[in-house]
Amino acid sequence: MAAAAEPGARAWLGGGSPRQGNPTSSPELGAGSRSPSGPGSGPGSGPGSGPERAGARPLSPAAPGHSFRKVTLTKPTFCHLCSDFIWGLAGILCDVCNFMSHEKCLKHVKTPCASVAPSLVHVPVAHCFGPRGLYKRRFCAVCRKGLEAPGVRCEVCELHVHPDCVPFACSDCRQCHQDGHRDHDTHLHHWREGNLPSGARCEVCRKTCCSSDVLAGVRCEWCGVQAHSVCSAALAPECTFGRLRTMVLPPACVRLLSRNFSKMHCFRISESTAPEPGEGEDSVDGSAPAGPGREVMALESSKQTLKIFDGNDAVQRNHFRAITVPRLAKSQEVLEVALRAYYITEDPQGFQLQALPAPALAGNTGASGKAWSGGTTEEESSRGPGARDAPSITRVPEAWIIRALPRTQEVLKIYPAWLKVGVAYVSLRVTPQSTARTVVLEVLPLLGRQAEGLKSFQLVEVLMGSRQVQRTVLADEEPLLDRLREIRQTSLRQMSQTRFYVAESRVVAPRVSLFVGGLPPGRSPQEYSSLLDEAVASKAGLVSVSHVYSAQGAVVLDVACFAEAERLYMLVRDTAVHGRPLTALVLPDVLHLKLPPHCRPLLVFVNPRSGGLKGRDLLCSFRKLLNPHQVFELTNGGPLPGFHVFSQVPCFRVLVCGGDGTVGWVLAALEEMRHRLACPEPAVAILPLGTGNDLGRVLRWGPGYSGEDPFSVLVSVDEADAVLVDRWTILLDAHEAGSGENSVADAEPPKIVHMSNYCGIGIDAELSLDFHQAREEEPGKFTSRFHNKGVYVRAGLQKMNRSRGLHRALRLQAGRQEVQLPSIEGLIFINIPSWGSGADLWGSESDSRFEKPRMDDGLLEVVGVTGVVHMGQVQGGLRSGIRIAQGSYFRVTLLKAAPVQVDGEPWVQAPGHMIISAAGPKVHMLRKAKQKPRKAGTPKDVRADGAPAPEGDSK
């Protein structure tokens, strides 16, 4: 970020557009200023770490920040630009980021080095790194090496990195919402390099642009268009969101003031998926070198490993980078390797290494250790850490800290924040007399804003961390040179990730929407306010209740202070009311008036616990393909937060990823929220993740999700047809019964449940209840649909010879007519022609007594089964159920407690009445369109309109 000023320079403008600085207009960072390094001096050097560096003259970088050299290749190597094999024994390698190239490709390289990538970020946006995992054929975006060992990935964008490369990752995640700074004029492509799906083709030249050997090619994180890095310059910079443009919630239409909240909180990502604090960074007791992607091998006797710290913060936290250098390396060489390990490409003459004795690792980090300058003479190098025969040192210290030498002046880049100016930044000289006020006064005339006065602007320091972006407004009298020195003392890495903005002083009124669930239902707004005041001591002047969902026991708070919002968020999550834990979510505002006319955003609900537990991967895939603000995890607050966020959207659709019970849960919430929605009847699609998935079968979404491409799933949702499905209300009115073996002592209050598929009483509900209880006890075992069905079979075999005479334990009334029941063990009310994982319980035979069933005819069919054997015969297609009745109103009287299940959700119902009736308006569902046969000769990667189809997410 900063570099030594050129003689006579005072201030100049950085050319280029406001979205990206032009590196050629800024001081060159370390270009051709180093001494040649000897073998094994680069980052990641050591046995088995890659091609050996051959001492050669430095090559001029063809892209920002690279330090290219000719190297001698010792194993098969591929070009990171064209991805072709490098023939011969010589290649061009960047000593900092390991970018490898043909010499002929060097002039075409546009990819910036990892050392200067933070300075090219348009809008700093932190990442959401998930847990460690094995990602085959993926490459680290920082050091460009393969992820053979467990790596981490961002849950929102396509960034893959080694755990110890996380601190060096660029804060360039997708910008998914406005944060109170500026409005979007146009939406630009968000390019991410490498890790493209197999078979990806370039949008420009139509040749293959993917590679399984190196990090090559680029992909837009919004529209999915893919290209070679050179070809991408020929594409228009504006992004149209591609094939999913009608389903994506545009970032310009979402507002969230996210100060004090991490991106994990903003996107409602469960923190159980996040790395532990400090994970992904190096520790002093590490058994392996900290370099990215390094193999653990025995060191040669001629080499040594040194622990390098980059500042006081690293020493206090025991986080270091390990480098391997020859034992006879010169001081200059060791210093260069240490700087490269931290991706620092400034002139080594401005730094020195200080030895840290063992006691100093946990104590004071001052200049108590022996220091040496990064000189180049043989005399100075003999005193460095690589010296073997130094007379003044009896033992070479293993731990060193990089220190920046005192500077009397620096050149600093000042960015114009969101001001409408034609430059990316202004570079000016900072002296000991420079303060935040004088810098603003000097910058404003260069931006043409001097007429507005100093009081209208302020200097803002932004730390662009990979996990969180922190903003600090500097005081007018803050000495900038001292501030820079303090940052470098804390961490040299932080200095490279720190940026200074001249921003308008206008006050952004803090407003954070905080969803609080888990409260007692049925209370008034005043009672909820009093309850929250008592539980978390919310401040009346800063917190108000904006929305109340009394039936669900939830409220939405408007908080007018960022610090208070953070305090409430953390406190609510650790609070229980009446023995029930509360839920806290940070919700965005959807600016519905700014939605494009053609936009029908898709609201996605995912239940990660359904069926084979595939929901976790789907959550990540949908967050990447869509806007993360339109994807909700049902185990984190249920469906209500999603419907609240979309309440003002005039037209939207819903995708439910889960089993039949999950679909019923979402439909019930939609029924309760219908009168609050600007789109009261959104069409609902299903991605079946459960065990039965009967509604999904009827609507052609298949028997269950088996790893299909999530992009193809979204395209199918976009092309689906809307159909109507009946919804039914079941009133459960238990009453007190006499003492008996199967009776309950206390009466239960009446409750209402909704039904879309079927309601079972007796043997089928008992099997469903056994399965539900087994899954609750050991959820880790229920990871496949095949295993789940096996549990059903075992439970059925245990009940084959048990008879309970259900027909004697209940009475059925259809309309006003009493229905005589045959000898049965299960009574089932069906609304769709699928039951028990696709079985046709009603049968296809015509019957003059009943009408032909349809799922939108306003009628329910009542069927009986005689036992487990009968149920097995129905599922095998050998028999059908016993047809009993058909109608729109039923009354069931339970004479004793019996198992009951509705849409796969079972419980034991106490004696009393069950009244089943139509639930008002029918629900709009989406039925998957029938697959159209592809014309002969039409390639798979071309759509019917002739345009190339973007590749889906391959994970």
Side-chain angles (χ1 to χ4, degrees), residues 363-424:
N364 185 15
T365 61
S368 58
K370 180 177 179 59
W372 51 272
S373 173
T376 58
T377 66
E378 198 68 31
E379 180 182 359
E380 289 173 336
S381 66
S382 66
R383 298 194 303 268
R388 173 180 291 180
D389 301 322
S392 59
I393 303 178
T394 57
R395 179 177 180 272
V396 177
E398 294 183 355
W400 297 78
I401 183 170
I402 311 174
R403 290 296 191 192
L405 296 176
R407 307 184 185 189
T408 57
Q409 62 180 11
E410 296 193 38
V411 170
L412 192 65
K413 293 179 184 177
I414 307 296
Y415 291 76
W418 315 124
L419 305 181
K420 304 296 183 179
V421 294
V423 297

Coordinates of all heavy atoms in Angstrom, one line a residue, residues 363-424:
G363 N 6.5 -13.2 25.8 CA 6.6 -12.0 26.6 C 6.7 -10.8 25.7 O 6.0 -10.6 24.7
N364 N 7.6 -9.8 26.1 CA 7.7 -8.6 25.4 C 8.3 -8.8 24.1 O 9.2 -9.6 23.8 CB 8.6 -7.7 26.3 CG 8.7 -6.3 25.7 OD1 7.9 -5.9 24.8 ND2 9.7 -5.5 26.1
T365 N 7.7 -8.0 23.1 CA 8.2 -8.2 21.7 C 9.0 -7.0 21.3 O 9.1 -6.7 20.1 CB 6.9 -8.3 20.8 OG1 6.2 -7.1 20.9 CG2 6.1 -9.5 21.1
G366 N 9.6 -6.3 22.2 CA 10.5 -5.2 21.8 C 11.7 -5.6 21.2 O 12.0 -6.8 20.9
A367 N 12.6 -4.7 20.9 CA 13.9 -5.0 20.2 C 14.9 -5.5 21.2 O 16.1 -5.1 21.2 CB 14.4 -3.7 19.6
S368 N 14.5 -6.5 22.0 CA 15.5 -7.1 22.9 C 16.4 -8.1 22.2 O 17.5 -8.4 22.6 CB 14.8 -7.8 24.1 OG 13.9 -8.7 23.6
G369 N 15.9 -8.7 21.1 CA 16.7 -9.7 20.4 C 17.7 -9.1 19.5 O 17.7 -7.9 19.2
K370 N 18.6 -9.9 19.1 CA 19.7 -9.4 18.2 C 19.1 -9.0 16.9 O 18.4 -9.8 16.3 CB 20.8 -10.4 18.1 CG 22.0 -9.9 17.2 CD 23.1 -11.0 17.2 CE 24.2 -10.5 16.3 NZ 24.8 -9.3 16.7
A371 N 19.4 -7.8 16.4 CA 18.9 -7.4 15.1 C 20.0 -7.3 14.1 O 21.2 -7.1 14.4 CB 18.2 -6.0 15.3
W372 N 19.6 -7.4 12.8 CA 20.6 -7.2 11.8 C 19.9 -6.6 10.6 O 18.7 -6.7 10.4 CB 21.2 -8.5 11.3 CG 20.3 -9.6 11.0 CD1 19.8 -10.5 11.9 CD2 19.7 -9.9 9.7 NE1 18.9 -11.4 11.2 CE2 18.9 -11.0 9.9 CE3 19.9 -9.4 8.5 CZ2 18.2 -11.6 8.9 CZ3 19.2 -10.0 7.4 CH2 18.3 -11.1 7.7
S373 N 20.6 -5.8 9.9 CA 20.1 -5.1 8.7 C 20.1 -6.0 7.5 O 20.9 -6.9 7.4 CB 20.9 -3.8 8.5 OG 20.4 -3.2 7.3
G374 N 19.1 -5.7 6.6 CA 19.1 -6.5 5.4 C 20.1 -6.1 4.4 O 19.8 -5.7 3.3
G375 N 21.4 -6.0 4.8 CA 22.5 -5.6 3.9 C 22.8 -6.7 2.9 O 22.3 -7.8 3.0
T376 N 23.7 -6.4 2.0 CA 24.1 -7.3 1.0 C 25.5 -7.7 1.0 O 26.0 -8.5 0.2 CB 23.8 -6.7 -0.4 OG1 24.5 -5.5 -0.5 CG2 22.3 -6.4 -0.5
T377 N 26.3 -7.1 2.0 CA 27.7 -7.5 2.0 C 27.9 -8.8 2.7 O 27.1 -9.3 3.4 CB 28.5 -6.4 2.7 OG1 28.1 -6.4 4.1 CG2 28.2 -5.0 2.1
E378 N 29.1 -9.4 2.3 CA 29.4 -10.7 2.9 C 29.6 -10.6 4.4 O 29.3 -11.5 5.2 CB 30.7 -11.2 2.3 CG 30.9 -12.7 2.5 CD 29.9 -13.5 1.7 OE1 29.5 -13.0 0.7 OE2 29.5 -14.6 2.2
E379 N 30.1 -9.4 4.9 CA 30.3 -9.2 6.3 C 28.9 -9.2 7.1 O 28.8 -9.8 8.1 CB 31.0 -7.9 6.6 CG 31.3 -7.6 8.1 CD 32.0 -6.3 8.3 OE1 32.2 -5.6 7.3 OE2 32.2 -6.0 9.4
E380 N 27.9 -8.5 6.5 CA 26.6 -8.5 7.1 C 26.0 -9.9 7.1 O 25.3 -10.3 8.0 CB 25.7 -7.5 6.4 CG 26.2 -6.0 6.7 CD 25.4 -5.1 5.8 OE1 24.8 -5.5 4.8 OE2 25.3 -3.9 6.2
S381 N 26.1 -10.5 6.0 CA 25.4 -11.8 5.8 C 26.0 -12.9 6.8 O 25.3 -13.8 7.2 CB 25.5 -12.4 4.4 OG 26.9 -12.6 4.1
S382 N 27.2 -12.7 7.2 CA 27.8 -13.7 8.2 C 27.2 -13.6 9.5 O 27.3 -14.4 10.3 CB 29.3 -13.5 8.2 OG 29.6 -12.2 8.8
R383 N 26.5 -12.4 9.8 CA 25.9 -12.2 11.1 C 24.4 -12.6 11.1 O 23.7 -12.5 12.1 CB 26.1 -10.8 11.6 CG 27.5 -10.4 11.8 CD 27.5 -9.1 12.5 NE 26.8 -8.0 11.9 CZ 27.3 -7.1 11.0 NH1 28.6 -7.2 10.7 NH2 26.6 -6.2 10.5
G384 N 23.9 -13.0 9.9 CA 22.5 -13.3 9.8 C 22.2 -14.7 10.4 O 23.0 -15.4 10.9
P385 N 20.8 -15.0 10.3 CA 20.4 -16.3 10.9 C 21.0 -17.5 10.2 O 21.0 -18.6 10.7 CB 18.9 -16.2 10.8 CG 18.6 -15.2 9.7 CD 19.8 -14.3 9.7
G386 N 21.4 -17.3 8.9 CA 22.0 -18.5 8.2 C 23.5 -18.7 8.4 O 24.0 -19.6 7.9
A387 N 24.1 -17.9 9.2 CA 25.5 -18.0 9.5 C 25.8 -19.3 10.3 O 25.2 -19.5 11.3 CB 26.1 -16.8 10.1
R388 N 26.9 -20.0 9.9 CA 27.2 -21.2 10.6 C 28.4 -21.0 11.6 O 28.4 -21.6 12.7 CB 27.6 -22.4 9.6 CG 28.1 -23.6 10.3 CD 28.5 -24.7 9.3 NE 27.3 -25.2 8.6 CZ 27.4 -26.1 7.7 NH1 28.6 -26.6 7.3 NH2 26.3 -26.6 7.1
D389 N 29.3 -20.2 11.2 CA 30.5 -20.0 12.0 C 30.6 -18.6 12.6 O 31.7 -18.1 12.8 CB 31.8 -20.2 11.1 CG 31.7 -21.6 10.5 OD1 31.3 -22.5 11.2 OD2 32.2 -21.8 9.4
A390 N 29.5 -18.0 12.9 CA 29.5 -16.6 13.4 C 30.0 -16.7 14.9 O 29.5 -17.4 15.7 CB 28.1 -16.0 13.5
P391 N 31.1 -16.0 15.2 CA 31.8 -16.1 16.5 C 30.9 -15.5 17.6 O 31.1 -15.9 18.7 CB 33.1 -15.3 16.3 CG 32.8 -14.3 15.2 CD 31.9 -15.0 14.3
S392 N 30.0 -14.6 17.3 CA 29.2 -13.9 18.4 C 28.0 -14.7 18.7 O 27.3 -14.3 19.6 CB 28.9 -12.5 18.0 OG 28.2 -12.5 16.8
I393 N 27.6 -15.7 18.0 CA 26.4 -16.4 18.2 C 26.7 -17.8 18.4 O 27.2 -18.5 17.5 CB 25.4 -16.2 17.0 CG1 25.2 -14.7 16.7 CG2 24.1 -16.9 17.2 CD1 24.3 -14.5 15.5
T394 N 26.4 -18.3 19.5 CA 26.7 -19.7 19.8 C 25.6 -20.7 19.3 O 25.8 -21.8 19.0 CB 26.8 -19.9 21.4 OG1 25.5 -19.5 22.0 CG2 27.9 -19.1 21.9
R395 N 24.4 -20.1 19.1 CA 23.3 -21.0 18.6 C 22.3 -20.1 17.8 O 21.9 -19.0 18.2 CB 22.5 -21.6 19.8 CG 21.3 -22.4 19.3 CD 20.6 -23.0 20.5 NE 19.4 -23.8 20.1 CZ 18.2 -23.4 20.0 NH1 18.0 -22.1 20.1 NH2 17.2 -24.2 19.6
V396 N 22.1 -20.5 16.6 CA 21.2 -19.7 15.7 C 19.8 -19.8 16.2 O 19.2 -20.8 16.3 CB 21.3 -20.3 14.2 CG1 20.4 -19.5 13.3 CG2 22.7 -20.2 13.7
P397 N 19.2 -18.6 16.5 CA 17.8 -18.6 16.9 C 16.9 -19.1 15.8 O 17.1 -18.9 14.6 CB 17.5 -17.1 17.2 CG 18.9 -16.5 17.3 CD 19.8 -17.3 16.4
E398 N 15.8 -19.8 16.2 CA 14.9 -20.4 15.3 C 13.7 -19.5 15.0 O 12.9 -19.7 14.1 CB 14.4 -21.8 15.8 CG 15.4 -22.8 15.9 CD 14.9 -24.2 16.3 OE1 13.6 -24.2 16.6 OE2 15.6 -25.1 16.3
A399 N 13.5 -18.5 15.9 CA 12.4 -17.6 15.7 C 12.9 -16.2 15.4 O 13.7 -15.6 16.1 CB 11.5 -17.6 17.0
W400 N 12.3 -15.5 14.4 CA 12.6 -14.2 14.0 C 11.4 -13.3 13.8 O 10.3 -13.9 13.4 CB 13.5 -14.2 12.8 CG 14.8 -14.9 13.0 CD1 15.0 -16.3 13.0 CD2 16.1 -14.3 13.2 NE1 16.3 -16.6 13.2 CE2 17.0 -15.4 13.3 CE3 16.6 -13.0 13.3 CZ2 18.4 -15.2 13.6 CZ3 17.9 -12.8 13.5 CH2 18.8 -13.8 13.7
I401 N 11.5 -12.1 13.9 CA 10.4 -11.2 13.7 C 10.8 -10.1 12.7 O 12.0 -9.6 12.8 CB 9.9 -10.5 15.0 CG1 8.7 -9.6 14.7 CG2 11.0 -9.7 15.7 CD1 8.0 -9.1 15.9
I402 N 10.0 -9.9 11.7 CA 10.3 -8.9 10.7 C 9.9 -7.5 11.2 O 8.8 -7.3 11.6 CB 9.6 -9.1 9.3 CG1 9.7 -10.6 8.9 CG2 10.1 -8.2 8.2 CD1 8.9 -11.0 7.7
R403 N 10.8 -6.5 11.1 CA 10.5 -5.2 11.6 C 10.8 -4.2 10.4 O 11.7 -4.4 9.6 CB 11.5 -4.8 12.7 CG 11.1 -5.5 14.0 CD 9.8 -5.1 14.5 NE 9.6 -5.6 15.9 CZ 8.4 -5.6 16.5 NH1 7.3 -5.2 15.9 NH2 8.3 -6.0 17.7
A404 N 9.9 -3.2 10.3 CA 10.1 -2.2 9.3 C 11.0 -1.1 9.9 O 10.9 -0.7 11.0 CB 8.8 -1.6 8.9
L405 N 12.0 -0.7 9.1 CA 12.9 0.4 9.6 C 12.1 1.7 9.6 O 11.2 1.9 8.9 CB 14.1 0.5 8.6 CG 15.0 -0.7 8.6 CD1 16.1 -0.5 7.5 CD2 15.6 -1.0 9.9
P406 N 12.5 2.6 10.5 CA 11.8 3.9 10.7 C 11.9 4.7 9.3 O 12.9 4.6 8.6 CB 12.6 4.6 11.7 CG 13.3 3.6 12.5 CD 13.6 2.4 11.6
R407 N 10.8 5.3 9.0 CA 10.7 6.1 7.7 C 10.4 7.5 8.0 O 9.5 7.8 8.9 CB 9.7 5.4 6.8 CG 9.9 3.9 6.6 CD 8.9 3.4 5.6 NE 9.0 1.9 5.5 CZ 8.4 1.1 4.6 NH1 7.6 1.7 3.7 NH2 8.6 -0.2 4.6
T408 N 11.0 8.4 7.4 CA 10.8 9.8 7.6 C 9.7 10.4 6.7 O 9.1 11.4 6.9 CB 12.0 10.7 7.3 OG1 12.5 10.4 5.9 CG2 13.1 10.3 8.3
Q409 N 9.3 9.6 5.6 CA 8.2 10.0 4.8 C 7.8 8.7 4.0 O 8.5 7.8 3.8 CB 8.6 11.1 3.8 CG 9.7 10.8 2.9 CD 10.0 11.9 1.9 OE1 9.6 13.0 2.2 NE2 10.9 11.7 0.9
E410 N 6.5 8.8 3.5 CA 6.0 7.7 2.8 C 5.0 8.2 1.7 O 4.6 9.3 1.8 CB 5.2 6.7 3.6 CG 6.1 6.0 4.7 CD 5.3 4.8 5.3 OE1 4.6 4.1 4.6 OE2 5.5 4.6 6.5
V411 N 4.8 7.4 0.7 CA 3.8 7.7 -0.3 C 2.5 6.8 0.0 O 2.7 5.6 0.1 CB 4.3 7.5 -1.7 CG1 3.1 7.6 -2.7 CG2 5.3 8.5 -2.0
L412 N 1.4 7.5 0.1 CA 0.2 6.8 0.6 C -0.9 7.0 -0.5 O -1.1 8.1 -1.0 CB -0.3 7.3 1.9 CG -1.3 6.5 2.7 CD1 -0.8 5.2 3.1 CD2 -1.8 7.3 3.9
K413 N -1.6 5.9 -0.7 CA -2.8 6.0 -1.6 C -4.0 6.3 -0.8 O -4.3 5.7 0.2 CB -3.0 4.6 -2.3 CG -1.9 4.2 -3.3 CD -2.3 2.9 -3.9 CE -1.2 2.3 -4.8 NZ -1.5 1.0 -5.3
I414 N -4.8 7.3 -1.3 CA -6.0 7.8 -0.7 C -7.1 7.5 -1.7 O -7.1 8.1 -2.8 CB -6.0 9.2 -0.3 CG1 -4.8 9.5 0.6 CG2 -7.3 9.6 0.4 CD1 -4.8 8.8 1.9
Y415 N -8.1 6.7 -1.4 CA -9.2 6.3 -2.3 C -10.4 7.2 -2.0 O -10.6 7.7 -0.9 CB -9.6 4.9 -2.0 CG -8.5 3.9 -2.5 CD1 -7.4 3.6 -1.7 CD2 -8.7 3.2 -3.7 CE1 -6.4 2.7 -2.1 CE2 -7.7 2.2 -4.1 CZ -6.6 2.0 -3.3 OH -5.7 1.1 -3.7
P416 N -11.1 7.5 -3.1 CA -12.2 8.5 -3.0 C -13.5 7.9 -2.5 O -14.6 8.5 -2.8 CB -12.3 9.1 -4.4 CG -11.9 8.0 -5.3 CD -10.8 7.2 -4.5
A417 N -13.5 6.7 -1.9 CA -14.7 6.1 -1.4 C -15.8 6.0 -2.6 O -15.5 5.6 -3.7 CB -15.3 6.8 -0.2
W418 N -17.0 6.5 -2.3 CA -18.1 6.4 -3.3 C -18.3 7.7 -4.1 O -19.3 7.9 -4.7 CB -19.4 6.0 -2.7 CG -19.2 4.8 -1.7 CD1 -19.5 4.8 -0.4 CD2 -18.6 3.6 -2.0 NE1 -19.2 3.6 0.2 CE2 -18.6 2.9 -0.8 CE3 -18.0 3.0 -3.1 CZ2 -18.0 1.6 -0.7 CZ3 -17.5 1.7 -3.0 CH2 -17.5 1.0 -1.8
L419 N -17.3 8.6 -4.0 CA -17.5 9.9 -4.7 C -17.4 9.6 -6.2 O -16.7 8.8 -6.7 CB -16.3 10.8 -4.3 CG -16.2 11.1 -2.8 CD1 -15.1 12.1 -2.6 CD2 -17.5 11.7 -2.3
K420 N -18.2 10.4 -7.0 CA -18.3 10.2 -8.4 C -17.1 11.0 -9.1 O -17.3 12.1 -9.5 CB -19.6 10.7 -8.9 CG -20.9 10.1 -8.3 CD -20.9 8.6 -8.6 CE -22.2 8.0 -8.0 NZ -22.3 6.6 -8.3
V421 N -16.0 10.4 -9.1 CA -14.8 11.0 -9.7 C -14.2 9.9 -10.6 O -14.5 8.8 -10.6 CB -13.8 11.4 -8.6 CG1 -14.3 12.5 -7.7 CG2 -13.4 10.2 -7.7
G422 N -13.3 10.4 -11.5 CA -12.8 9.6 -12.6 C -11.5 9.0 -12.3 O -10.8 8.5 -13.2
V423 N -11.0 8.9 -11.0 CA -9.8 8.3 -10.7 C -10.0 7.2 -9.6 O -11.0 7.2 -8.9 CB -8.8 9.3 -10.1 CG1 -8.4 10.4 -11.2 CG2 -9.3 10.0 -8.9
A424 N -9.1 6.3 -9.6 CA -9.2 5.2 -8.6 C -8.6 5.6 -7.2 O -9.2 5.2 -6.2 CB -8.4 4.0 -9.1

